């Protein structure tokens, strides 16, 4: 192998899902860049592979990308892996791939499981057009601002969410989107894999106590055509902004979010709001 970065997909739960090509690549590269070496070493032990590893994650990616790229430029081969799934998808591997491309270094895919595609495939939700929104912000105002921007998107919307944040996310999805169908998918490829089809209102009520466990993929129905095409009045926008204020937003942020959701002018909404 000449100098190259291999983007290697790893199992999202079931070790049997690792492809023979992925195992061969991990065996043959010079070193592995892993999100968490403690997690990846378990996979390597399962395969009987001993290989030098370095950590590459959100908190050290800027410094480490230089080191990794320099080694590749000198002829070494590197496999980047995340804890589970395909690197660079809502993952710091995105930065390393971009940096290597900018340095004209070779990058090759060794595809594997992806939680968002796997979840969508078993959800029964429309898959012809969808938008992957990744993880929502932990900051309430930024989270609701994000949701307001995509409120009228008629594509199926896909989110990743951690169990300790699920209650707040479902509550905000319901408040901003109103009631829609949702599929809550978790434990993908594991013994207790599940896909729960329900509504945003029912889900927000069910998980409001914070009892959720496991990593979730949330698949939310897009806005209905009549909703997506609705023409909002200024009164509609002001009422929406008032709801945002009642939830803790500043009037400025509330007016901005309402403007994003309705297409009306922020200044006019703000003027009426105050």
């Amino acid at each position: 192998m000449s100098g190259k970065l291999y983007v290697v997909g790893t199992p999202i739960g079931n070790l049997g899902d690792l492809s023979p090509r992925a195992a061969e690549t991990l065996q043959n590269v010079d070193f592995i860049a892993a999100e968490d070496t403690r997690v990846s070493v378990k996979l390597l032990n399962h395969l009987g592979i001993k290989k030098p590893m370095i950590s590459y994650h959100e908190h050290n990616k800027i410094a480490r990308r230089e080191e990794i790229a320099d080694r590749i430029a000198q002829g070494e081969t590197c496999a980047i892996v995340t804890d589970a799934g395909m690197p660079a998808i809502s993952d710091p591997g995105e930065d390393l791939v971009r940096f290597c491309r900018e340095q004209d270094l070779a990058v090759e895919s060794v595809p594997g499981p992806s939680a968002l595609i796997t979840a969508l495939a078993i959800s029964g939700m429309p898959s012809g057009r969808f938008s992957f929104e990744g993880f929502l912000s932990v900051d309430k105002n930024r989270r609701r601002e994000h949701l307001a921007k995509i409120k009228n998107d008629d594509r199926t919307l896909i989110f990743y969410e951690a169990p300790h944040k699920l209650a707040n996310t479902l509550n905000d999805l319901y408040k901003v989107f109103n009631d829609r169908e949702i599929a809550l998918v978790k434990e993908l490829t594991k013994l207790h894999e599940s896909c729960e089809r329900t509504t945003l209102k029912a889900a927000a009520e069910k998980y409001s106590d914070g009892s959720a466990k496991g990593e979730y993929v949330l698949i939310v129905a897009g806005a209905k055509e009549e909703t997506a095409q609705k023409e909002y009045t200024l009164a509609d926008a002001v009422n929406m902004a008032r709801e945002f204020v009642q939830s803790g937003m500043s009037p400025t942020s509330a007016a901005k979010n309402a403007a994003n959701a309705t297409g009306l002018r922020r200044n006019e909404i703000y003027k009426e709001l105050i």
Side-chain angles (χ1 to χ4, degrees), residues 163-203:
H164 65 281
K165 294 162 44 184
L166 183 65
N168 287 335
T169 293
L170 290 173
N171 184 58
D172 284 348
L173 283 167
Y174 175 52
K175 283 191 172 183
V176 177
F177 289 177
N178 298 319
D179 209 10
R180 297 187 194 177
E181 190 173 14
I182 180 175
L184 298 94
V185 185
K186 69 173 183 175
E187 298 295 293
L188 280 167
T189 75
K190 299 178 183 178
L191 180 62
H192 299 293
E193 174 181 290
S194 68
C195 176
E196 179 183 2
R197 288 282 293 266
T198 183
T199 64
L200 286 175
K201 180 180 181 181

Side-chain angles (χ1 to χ4, degrees), residues 136-145 165 172:
L136 291 166
S137 174
V138 296
D139 179 80
K140 180 173 64 176
N141 287 344
R142 291 179 62 187
R143 184 169 63 244
R144 291 189 175 181
E145 182 177 354
K165 294 162 44 184
D172 284 348

Side-chain angles (χ1 to χ4, degrees), residues 139-145 171-172 175-176 239-251 253-254 257:
D139 179 80
K140 180 173 64 176
N141 287 344
R142 291 179 62 187
R143 184 169 63 244
R144 291 189 175 181
E145 182 177 354
N171 184 58
D172 284 348
K175 283 191 172 183
V176 177
N239 287 334
M240 186 182 299
R242 288 197 179 106
E243 291 182 4
F244 286 139
V245 170
Q246 290 171 1
S247 69
M249 281 190 188
S250 68
S253 295
N257 286 339

Side-chain angles (χ1 to χ4, degrees), residues 53-199:
M53 285 193 293
I54 64 172
S55 65
Y56 176 85
H57 49 72
E58 186 64 32
H59 304 294
N60 71 358
K61 65 183 182 182
I62 301 301
R64 277 288 159 82
R65 71 182 186 183
E66 301 274 358
E67 175 186 345
I68 294 169
D70 285 346
R71 293 177 66 174
I72 293 173
Q74 293 170 18
E76 291 190 69
T77 53
C78 172
I80 181 170
V81 297
T82 187
D83 289 350
M86 197 65 192
I89 306 300
S90 197
D91 173 81
E94 175 187 357
D95 185 76
L96 178 60
V97 171
R98 179 173 57 250
F99 187 74
C100 286
R101 292 288 188 191
E102 291 171 350
Q103 307 303 311
D104 291 324
L105 299 174
V107 179
E108 185 172 317
S109 65
V110 185
S114 172
L116 77 97
I117 297 299
T118 304
L120 180 60
I122 68 168
S123 70
M125 302 283 274
S127 61
R129 297 175 64 246
F130 62 88
S131 175
F132 176 56
E133 300 295 325
F135 287 97
L136 291 166
S137 174
V138 296
D139 179 80
K140 180 173 64 176
N141 287 344
R142 291 179 62 187
R143 184 169 63 244
R144 291 189 175 181
E145 182 177 354
H146 181 163
L147 294 177
K149 288 180 179 179
I150 59 175
K151 176 180 180 179
N152 296 324
D153 195 330
D154 61 357
R155 295 173 295 179
T156 299
L157 302 173
I158 305 175
F159 306 87
Y160 285 164
E161 197 51 277
H164 65 281
K165 294 162 44 184
L166 183 65
N168 287 335
T169 293
L170 290 173
N171 184 58
D172 284 348
L173 283 167
Y174 175 52
K175 283 191 172 183
V176 177
F177 289 177
N178 298 319
D179 209 10
R180 297 187 194 177
E181 190 173 14
I182 180 175
L184 298 94
V185 185
K186 69 173 183 175
E187 298 295 293
L188 280 167
T189 75
K190 299 178 183 178
L191 180 62
H192 299 293
E193 174 181 290
S194 68
C195 176
E196 179 183 2
R197 288 282 293 266
T198 183
T199 64

